[in-house]
Amino acid sequence: MALSPRLDLRQSQSLVMTPQLQQAIKLLALSNLEIETFIGEALEANPLLEAGEVRREDGEAAEMPSDEPSADSAAGDDSALDIDPGSLDRDRDTGDGEWGAAHASGLSEDLPGIDERGDDGPTLAEHLEDQVGAASGDAREAFVARHLIGLLDEAGYLAADLGEVAAELGIAPAEVERALAVVQSLDPTGVGARSLGECLALQAKEADRYDPCMARLIDNLDLVARGEFARLKRMCEVDDEDFAEMLAELRGYDPKPGCRFGGAAESAVVPDILIAQGKDGGWDIALNEDTLPRLVVNRAYYLELRQGCAGKAAQAWLGEKLADANWLIRALDQRQKTILKTAAEIVKKQVGFFHRGVSELRPLTLREVAEAIGMHESTISRVTSNKYLHCDRGTFELKYFFTSGVGSADGEGASSQAVKARIKALTDAEDAKKILSDDTLVDLLKAEGFDIARRTVAKYREAMGIGSSVQRRRAKKLEAF
């Protein structure tokens, strides 16, 4: 067979993602504040764009009377931004592929509970200073304690040398030591520590677990990190069961207790979506226009430039800038409508939470929302990424409304967050003389319609920082004293 060059024609179908389409898809994953930065850059790059007055456009708000979304919230054709998941996975610029894959199956148990996120609370310094008056013996000691609080880092550690603090204040080192003891007695336990070991030791003492064995374990954290457990057991002089319990106790402590509180330098989360109770009992949904600049094309400037464009190259450049400006305005409009449509469906699915709280949070996946509004799952992943919703119960990230579920008597399933809330309520209300074991919790939850295994109860309990029945019994005895 002779070999010779030849031309063949073939037909094939493929999705070609233009730079403009890639840009529109990328816009979905940006928060309103990031969009504001993006628009600022666009205004500098395109002379035909200008910032217009913020005003409400058709489709920029959705009203949900009687817990149902209105037709206005679904206005607009979102097909331009709703692309096949395979092609979206190739767009690495959005940076949410891993998150989207995890949430495609409804996995969010490692994320903070929705009831743990809300409006910004006090900073660590404010929280500690509120306690100093009751914990200190006199005004002088309280003053030094407040000075030390001002030296703590965001994790709650004290890096300053006590001798230098004493010299700076012109007092004896012993007074600084007593003031530090006051700081270390405050909540959260572990603040004021000068090392990780001291932080963990303070928490062990608070839990009445700081015996000689635990002290040796904390003094040898480097061996714990290297996994030299056999050597540690010999040093602590304990058997396998006691060592496992000590290790579990140690891992339950918080190495950065100050991080539970906000920092003074941190900016508050600005919500992208605002939800309020409507007059008819439904829900009004709108984008936060304070963080959403409006773009318009400066037609007068365009006409002026067009009159001055004599050559074809100049005319082509001007036409390209006009097309880019119009495309960006349409893409931003579609983004707003897509976000509102998604938020309306989330509120519809989780309406029990907005009425009654986390106990009514139901299992929800990205796929459910995607199928309900006729869009691809990965599009919903982008829409819910880096977006915050504000309602009467606080400010929450959209992705926290997607939770895995457990079986329930009604067959619909129950949110893991709802189960966690119920476990916390049961343990908080338990009698000190009758501490509930995990098996008892399973029975109580099943009686309430939650079909859940014992290992799941233990997993949820540990995730919320609730100790075992033995630990809770010991803690309640201490509280009785």
Side-chain angles (χ1 to χ4, degrees), residues 18-89:
T18 64
Q20 288 178 327
L21 183 55
Q22 292 179 17
Q23 181 189 71
I25 294 171
K26 185 176 180 178
L27 291 177
L28 286 176
L30 300 181
S31 67
N32 278 4
L33 292 181
E34 291 170 327
I35 284 290
E36 189 174 1
T37 301
F38 178 86
I39 288 177
E41 295 173 353
L43 288 170
E44 293 180 359
N46 194 330
L48 299 183
L49 283 172
E50 68 176 5
E53 293 182 2
V54 176
R55 62 181 178 85
R56 189 178 302 278
E57 299 279 357
D58 292 340
E60 286 190 0
E63 184 175 349
M64 297 182 63
S66 302
D67 302 333
E68 292 294 333
S70 68
D72 292 339
S73 65
D77 179 15
D78 306 286
S79 59
L81 307 181
D82 190 30
I83 309 302
D84 179 79
S87 63
L88 289 177
D89 289 340

Side-chain angles (χ1 to χ4, degrees), residues 201-279:
L202 289 170
Q203 295 178 61
K205 292 174 182 177
E206 176 69 17
D208 195 24
R209 287 282 291 165
Y210 195 72
D211 52 26
C213 298
M214 181 63 79
R216 293 192 194 101
L217 183 62
I218 293 176
D219 288 340
N220 294 277
L221 293 176
D222 56 331
L223 299 182
V224 176
R226 294 201 297 266
E228 298 185 22
F229 298 143
R231 182 179 174 185
L232 283 167
K233 281 188 288 186
R234 291 194 300 269
M235 294 174 64
C236 297
E237 299 178 350
V238 294
D239 57 21
D240 291 347
E241 183 177 355
D242 288 337
F243 182 78
E245 184 178 351
M246 289 169 57
L247 203 59
E249 181 89 16
L250 186 66
R251 287 172 174 166
Y253 297 152
D254 188 354
K256 297 181 179 180
C259 290
R260 306 177 197 173
F261 300 85
E266 294 180 356
S267 59
V269 172
V270 178
D272 304 86
I273 304 159
L274 305 176
I275 295 184
Q277 185 83 45
K279 295 180 180 179

Side-chain angles (χ1 to χ4, degrees), residues 88-89 91-92 94-103 381-382:
L88 289 177
D89 289 340
D91 180 18
R92 299 300 181 190
T94 57
D96 65 347
E98 183 178 350
W99 179 88
H103 281 67
S381 172
R382 280 166 171 77

Side-chain angles (χ1 to χ4, degrees), residues 20 46 48 318-328 330:
Q20 288 178 327
N46 194 330
L48 299 183
L318 184 60
E320 180 182 342
K321 291 299 180 182
L322 179 61
D324 289 345
N326 287 328
W327 171 264
L328 180 57
R330 287 197 301 269

